[in-house]
Amino acid sequence: MGTIIGIDLGTTNSVVAYMDHAEPRVIINEQGGRVTPSVVGFSQDGERFVGDIAKRQRLVNPKATVYGIKRFMGRRYQDCRDEAAAVTYEVVEAPNGDCAVRIGGRDYIPQEIAAMILQRLKKSAEDFLGEQVTEAVLTVPAYFTDRQRQATRDAGAIAGLDVLRIINEPTAAALAYLHDRRRPSTIAVYDFGGGTFDISLLRVDRDVAEVLATRGDNSLGGADVDRAVVAWLLERFEDEHGIDASGDPVVMQRLLDAAERAKMELSNVRSTEIHLPFLVTDGDRPRHLQARLDRETFESLTAPIYERTIAECERALADARLDPADLDEVIMVGGSSRIPRVQALVRDLFRKPLNKGFNPDEVVAVGAAIQSGILGGEVKSVTLLDVTNFSLGIEVAGGRSAVLIPKNTTIPAQQHQLVSTVVDNQRTVKIHVLQGEAPLARDNVSLGEFELTGIQPAPRGVPRIQVRFHIDVNGIVHVSARDTRTGAEEAITIDAPSALKRSDIEALRLEPEAPPVDPAARLRDKVEHQLVALETFLREHQPLLHKSAIQDVEQALKRGRMALLKSPERANLETLSRYLARIQQHLEQKTRRAAGGR
């Protein structure tokens, strides 16, 4: 058996780790980073970019750059229209009613996009380890439905990975906490990531991690914080210039990037300056955005988002029948858990120390690596007692939902239910499997329907059909049925409607990887990087620069963006790159002299 890797496929960033002599290690990617942006970009000639290079492309080609795909995994289009309207690429309805992404006239299902990210992580692991990697443990939000878990497994298969186990992200964080610890504890794992939120309460001991309750929201994360800031910036811009810029994808992407930077900066400073020159052009007049965002305003804009996470925490405590006093500490997971106001609210609720001993961006992947080590025999076996995130049941007369396996039941779990016919001589029985807490079947998630056929003719109510529900260690649902009168038995696995057929997975897996980036594409990437660096430098050093120097930089930025949009020849790109390098060098000299004269 080769090395089994652990992967945290995140909404914003992804991380891959492995066990090195019983110690978890994060794998460094080709760019020397420990995290890889969960972004996929496409060029006009069909090239594909993943990670940092794709993230940089967002500013110049937002319609062909996909981010936040995790929010669309295994979801129906009608359920995520609001989220689809908030991204700068096109989300459409697939023939089966699920979400799809349309790039350059071709539709990609979310599993394909996620697989491209996983392929990149797989390649990073192979380059780092010097061996082929075929097996992995993947993590998912604790509140992912069966459809979403199936979609994640399919993405792994498309990427060429044998997914040995799917574990919940808070459970993975608890494994990292448990590693090499000996003191029994009752902990809360507060997982506030880029696109999803989970809260899990666990009791951990030397070799047991038992989940007591879990709650969450699959459409709540740092992306919503960014969008709240973007709405504020759009309002200020319209008030100042009388222009609604929300319909321009390039403008929206620049605003999203600026909002993300401001959010991160406000975790360390009390206020930050947001400066976006040449945001739009009104006739021949460029319009700039200049705004100062202080932490108080930021917290006011985003307070409803944080309060939603606290409400989920309170529900989890009630589900587990715990009081905050019963907890020993709280583990903070996910990049958005760094926000000072978030930490203050969590501390006020639980009245316990916040464990910041783990890197919130990496701890889930570390836990996944520990799970891979358990499966590979490198790590002492730890018993994971996870729970169901939703109730499982069937539709009964009157369109009601009858719960068979309640939420927060320890998994793996199984339950049996006897059903019968409703008319005389009925030869088939239809079973409609549901996931959710609503009393009416139509308000829950449909996992699928199947019919047991070949039932012996008999008066209604006489046949006894035993239906067995089983949730495996990955949280995926299986169903079987047996006619107790005849002993005839048929095992049926209910694949989620989003699950792909093996032939579909093989066809997608066999698609060749994008060709190597040619010199012209590398040059475009270099120019894009120079523009971003120049804009950042201007924002950070503006007080040290003379007005004429600022105008020169803004003119250089405008020239660069226009050149990229017009797709110039390679020679022109080389000239532009040298010009930007001279501007950057000239600015650095000016700021050094200005700083030295103070």
Side-chain angles (χ1 to χ4, degrees):
M1 177 184 291
T3 301
I4 307 171
I5 56 175
I7 297 177
D8 172 18
L9 178 63
T11 307
T12 305
N13 295 301
S14 295
V15 183
V16 56
Y18 76 110
M19 293 303 293
D20 180 18
H21 298 95
E23 284 300 321
R25 307 288 185 197
V26 172
I27 288 173
I28 308 301
N29 63 25
E30 293 89 338
Q31 286 74 42
R34 296 169 68 87
V35 300
T36 299
S38 302
V39 184
V40 178
F42 299 84
S43 68
Q44 292 181 346
D45 54 2
E47 291 177 335
R48 190 172 73 221
F49 316 103
V50 178
D52 292 291
I53 184 173
K55 186 176 181 179
R56 291 195 294 270
Q57 179 187 273
R58 290 195 307 186
L59 292 172
V60 293
N61 196 5
K63 288 188 175 182
T65 309
V66 184
Y67 53 92
I69 196 63
K70 186 173 177 178
R71 279 194 164 187
F72 300 109
M73 294 278 286
R75 296 185 64 189
R76 310 292 286 176
Y77 177 76
Q78 62 184 11
D79 296 332
C80 51
R81 288 181 178 176
D82 290 343
E83 292 170 60
V87 297
T88 55
Y89 52 91
E90 187 178 5
V91 180
V92 298
E93 185 173 6
N96 67 349
D98 283 356
C99 295
V101 175
R102 181 165 294 166
I103 303 290
R106 177 185 165 181
D107 290 354
Y108 297 85
I109 59 175
Q111 295 94 312
E112 286 182 88
I113 302 296
M116 294 171 191
I117 301 168
L118 291 172
Q119 282 176 343
R120 177 56 52 194
L121 298 173
K122 177 177 181 289
K123 184 177 185 303
S124 296
E126 290 175 337
D127 291 344
F128 186 88
L129 298 170
E131 62 181 74
Q132 186 178 12
V133 173
T134 59
E135 298 173 316
V137 172
L138 300 185
T139 65
V140 294
Y143 238 54
F144 253 25
T145 65
D146 186 65
R147 290 169 53 86
Q148 292 169 304
R149 292 168 190 270
Q150 287 279 10
T152 304
R153 181 180 287 278
D154 288 345
I158 295 169
L161 290 168
D162 180 8
V163 181
L164 302 181
R165 184 68 56 85
I166 293 176
I167 63 173
N168 292 336
E169 290 167 4
T171 307
L175 273 178
Y177 174 89
L178 191 61
H179 190 59
D180 284 342
R181 290 175 182 259
R182 295 293 179 265
R183 183 172 61 87
S185 305
T186 301
I187 64 173
V189 179
Y190 179 96
D191 186 354
F192 193 21
T196 60
F197 170 74
D198 287 316
I199 174 68
S200 290
L201 306 176
L202 304 97
R203 186 172 292 120
V204 297
D205 205 337
R206 283 180 290 183
D207 56 359
V208 176
E210 179 186 9
V211 180
L212 304 176
T214 186
R215 282 276 183 171
D217 190 329
N218 294 330
S219 299
L220 181 63
D224 301 285
V225 175
D226 298 341
R227 290 168 189 166
V229 176
V230 168
W232 179 77
L233 291 172
L234 283 170
E235 184 178 352
R236 286 180 60 92
F237 188 78
E238 186 169 6
D239 289 344
E240 182 177 355
H241 300 291
I243 299 173
D244 178 8
S246 61
D248 188 326
V250 174
V251 170
M252 290 301 294
Q253 190 56 65
R254 292 184 67 193
L255 290 172
L256 281 168
D257 279 17
E260 184 181 16
R261 286 196 302 270
K263 173 184 67 178
M264 292 187 290
E265 290 171 3
L266 287 171
S267 292
N268 302 301
V269 298
R270 299 298 305 182
S271 67
T272 184
E273 191 76 20
I274 300 173
H275 179 54
L276 295 175
F278 301 96
L279 188 63
V280 300
T281 301
D282 182 17
D284 293 330
R285 298 180 59 190
R287 301 293 187 180
H288 316 303
L289 172 65
Q290 184 83 30
R292 177 171 290 276
L293 179 61
D294 58 49
R295 188 180 290 180
E296 290 72 22
T297 302
F298 173 73
E299 291 177 351
S300 175
L301 292 170
T302 55
I305 299 170
Y306 311 147
E307 293 294 343
R308 286 170 61 188
T309 73
I310 297 302
E312 294 294 342
C313 292
E314 292 171 340
R315 295 187 186 104
L317 284 168
D319 289 345
R321 295 181 175 85
L322 291 177
D323 187 86
D326 298 322
L327 299 176
D328 295 297
E329 59 183 316
V330 181
I331 300 176
M332 303 296 284
V333 179
S336 300
S337 70
R338 292 188 174 96
I339 298 173
R341 183 57 182 163
V342 167
Q343 295 185 357
L345 288 171
V346 174
R347 193 180 297 110
D348 290 345
L349 172 65
F350 290 107
R351 302 191 295 277
K352 288 293 184 296
L354 305 185
N355 187 326
K356 302 179 187 178
F358 300 97
N359 184 322
D361 294 322
E362 299 176 1
V363 62
V364 170
V366 167
I370 294 170
Q371 176 63 53
S372 73
I374 294 170
L375 295 176
E378 301 172 70
V379 180
K380 180 183 176 182
S381 180
V382 175
T383 302
L384 282 178
L385 301 176
D386 216 333
V387 298
T388 59
N389 49 352
F390 296 98
S391 296
L392 178 69
I394 60 173
E395 182 175 356
V396 295
R400 294 175 293 112
S401 176
V403 173
L404 278 81
I405 300 180
K407 75 185 301 292
N408 289 323
T409 297
T410 300
I411 58 174
Q414 65 180 20
Q415 184 59 271
H416 298 80
Q417 176 72 23
L418 286 175
V419 299
S420 189
T421 55
V422 294
V423 297
D424 292 342
N425 300 319
Q426 185 175 333
R427 302 298 300 271
T428 63
V429 171
K430 179 180 289 186
I431 307 294
H432 185 194
V433 181
L434 305 168
Q435 194 174 43
E437 316 308 317
L440 295 180
R442 67 170 180 265
D443 297 327
N444 290 304
V445 175
S446 173
L447 297 185
E449 298 179 343
F450 72 94
E451 291 185 346
L452 181 65
T453 61
I455 299 173
Q456 284 188 350
R460 64 179 183 177
V462 172
R464 291 291 182 266
I465 311 301
Q466 186 180 66
V467 182
R468 176 178 175 267
F469 292 80
H470 173 72
I471 304 179
D472 65 21
V473 292
N474 296 311
I476 294 176
V477 180
H478 308 270
V479 180
S480 62
R482 183 172 68 90
D483 186 339
T484 60
R485 295 181 67 207
T486 64
E489 184 172 359
E490 183 176 358
I492 303 169
T493 298
I494 294 207
D495 290 324
S498 60
L500 299 174
K501 297 178 181 177
R502 183 178 296 274
S503 58
D504 295 333
I505 290 174
E506 289 299 326
L508 292 170
R509 183 189 296 177
L510 293 174
E511 286 190 353
E513 288 230 18
V517 180
D518 61 25
R522 290 195 186 95
L523 194 53
R524 284 183 62 85
D525 178 54
K526 180 181 178 181
V527 171
E528 290 166 5
H529 183 74
Q530 288 176 296
L531 289 171
V532 172
L534 193 57
E535 187 174 277
T536 302
F537 189 91
L538 176 62
R539 183 176 64 253
E540 294 176 350
H541 298 88
Q542 190 168 354
L544 298 176
L545 296 173
H546 190 271
K547 184 177 180 180
S548 60
I550 295 174
Q551 291 175 343
D552 289 343
V553 177
E554 291 177 343
Q555 188 63 35
L557 290 169
K558 180 180 180 181
R559 175 181 169 184
R561 292 196 188 94
M562 292 299 295
L564 286 176
L565 289 173
K566 292 179 179 178
S567 300
E569 297 296 327
R570 180 179 175 184
N572 293 338
L573 280 176
E574 290 174 341
T575 301
L576 176 60
S577 179
R578 289 194 294 269
Y579 167 68
L580 293 174
R582 288 197 302 271
I583 290 288
Q584 181 84 28
Q585 184 179 23
H586 185 59
L587 279 179
E588 290 173 354
Q589 292 172 349
K590 281 182 173 293
T591 53
R592 279 197 296 268
R593 287 198 296 267
R598 289 191 172 186

